[in-house]
Amino acid sequence: MGSGCLKVTKYFLFLFNLLFLILGAVILGFGVWILADKTSFIAVLQMSSPSLKTGAYILIGVGALTMLMGFLGCLGAVNEIRCLLGLYFTCLMIILLAQIAAALVIYFQKETLKVELSGIVVNLIENYDPLDEDKRNLQDAWDYVQTQIACCGWTGPKEWENNEILRNKSNTEYPCSCSNRSKDLMEGRGFCSLEDPLNGTATYADWPVHEQGCMDGVEEWLKDNLGIILGVCTGVAVIELLGMILSISLCKNIHSEDYTKVPKS
């Protein structure tokens, strides 16, 4: 190929790697968001499930490595450094294979994650205590979920009857974040009292709360957010593949250019 084709390949690779660097920053941002978010359902998972924390750190690591690869690709393309382009190609291939492996693991472990998620929420409901400052962030996150999705419990409000504090009060109180009354939602957390409990006792059927459980709403929320993350990762994978093709093409072109410059004896 001529020098014109070499320049086109070089600048295309530079542009792809610039985009690659930006997408790497987005992946890193997702990882930081998972660790820093304290007001949504991610906080419940993050504080209760070590696997999510591990996943967040992996996202941060992959994002940082992706940004580094983008920088190396830009540097190798502009300066036409063959060894740097070769290193770039190898690293891209490793990252791409790792992403495929991670996607397969997530796909085949999704039912396990669902069971783990159910156990986390049920345990949280049973041990919910507004006076426990050590679990304040976790409990506030679940109150936020119930308020935003307009739901109660994981599969329904009956699960709150297993809460120790409510049992001790004969279920004459109920979680404020479950309430379908605006004055209770202003409280936002903790327990609200029934106005006229029958014989000093009550059941979840007597509570002015939402009847729908949060499971369906949370699953939909997770699907929406995971869809965004998977979309970004797919975009990165496509750019990785194109970067590999362009880098190996540029390596060959540089070699051909060097060969044509060698004086013939």
Side-chain angles (χ1 to χ4, degrees), residues 30 38 46 68 75 93-94 101 104 151 158 206 209:
F30 273 125
K38 303 297 181 186
Q46 191 253 117
L68 178 62
L75 193 63
M93 186 168 63
I94 292 170
L104 290 173
C151 58
K158 184 174 176 58
D206 301 312
V209 298

Side-chain angles (χ1 to χ4, degrees), residues 184-199:
D184 291 336
L185 292 177
M186 291 178 66
E187 180 68 25
R189 69 182 307 272
F191 298 122
C192 295
S193 299
L194 278 173
E195 293 178 356
D196 297 305
L198 184 63
N199 299 324

Side-chain angles (χ1 to χ4, degrees), residues 28-95:
L28 188 146
F30 273 125
V32 172
W33 167 63
I34 289 172
L35 291 177
D37 190 356
K38 303 297 181 186
T39 60
S40 72
F41 191 68
I42 283 292
V44 178
L45 290 176
Q46 191 253 117
M47 296 179 71
S48 304
S49 176
S51 59
L52 190 73
K53 280 187 178 180
T54 303
Y57 286 122
I58 289 172
L59 279 176
I60 292 171
V62 168
L65 186 58
T66 301
M67 290 176 68
L68 178 62
M69 290 302 99
F71 174 74
L72 290 177
C74 288
L75 193 63
V78 171
N79 295 297
E80 300 180 9
I81 305 172
R82 289 191 67 208
C83 63
L84 198 56
L85 288 170
L87 176 64
Y88 170 75
F89 174 86
T90 304
C91 290
L92 274 186
M93 186 168 63
I94 292 170
I95 292 173

